[in-house]
Amino acid sequence: QVQLVESGGGLVQAGGSLSLSCASSSGTFSDDGMAWFRQAPGKERKFVAAITSNPGRTYYADSVKGRFTISREDAKKMTYLQMNSLRPEDTAVFYCAAAPYRGNFLDTDERDYSYWGQGTQVTVSS
């Protein structure tokens, strides 16, 4: 069983920045595909960004491309999401997700991810 723990959410004004972190307990982290998803109030959960294992190819939803950056630090089993130029429509609960042994894939479907964090709230005020 893999545990994922997110941190770094909070309240920020539009145009501001936040950095999210996700700590994994996976024993195969360097081989795991990692991603961030988000769920806005009353809406379904949606893909935000994904990253492969080293050398860490990335893929982003169009809505965040150019504003968000996903990264990972295998030695610390950490995944990050740097969010800049935040907008009110970015308000959501953000979830970290892991796809064991799928480090070569950039999965955007949540069904490809076996483990999920508890989520961290990001609120962007206008």
Side-chain angles (χ1 to χ4, degrees):
Q1 186 75 11
V2 173
Q3 290 189 324
L4 302 174
V5 179
E6 302 101 334
S7 60
L11 173 64
V12 65
Q13 288 189 331
S17 299
L18 277 177
S19 181
L20 304 183
S21 299
C22 172
S24 172
S25 68
S26 173
T28 61
F29 183 80
S30 61
D31 294 324
D32 297 346
M34 298 298 298
W36 290 92
F37 288 75
R38 65 184 177 183
Q39 186 168 21
K43 297 188 177 181
E44 62 184 20
R45 189 159 56 188
K46 291 186 177 180
F47 169 80
V48 174
I51 186 167
T52 64
S53 54
N54 189 40
R57 291 179 295 119
T58 58
Y59 185 77
Y60 298 92
D62 287 343
S63 59
V64 306
K65 202 171 296 182
R67 300 187 299 123
F68 291 11
T69 302
I70 186 172
S71 61
R72 62 189 294 161
E73 193 171 0
D74 286 357
K76 295 184 178 180
K77 299 185 181 180
M78 295 291 294
T79 306
Y80 306 98
L81 186 68
Q82 177 64 40
M83 305 184 293
N84 299 327
S85 302
L86 283 161
R87 306 166 180 168
E89 54 264 39
D90 293 317
T91 295
V93 176
F94 280 71
Y95 296 91
C96 177
Y101 297 109
R102 291 187 63 82
N104 291 328
F105 301 93
L106 285 166
D107 296 315
T108 62
D109 189 333
E110 64 176 63
R111 293 171 295 181
D112 291 317
Y113 292 89
S114 303
Y115 299 102
W116 295 83
Q118 81 286 354
T120 185
Q121 177 71 45
V122 171
T123 302
V124 184
S125 64
S126 57

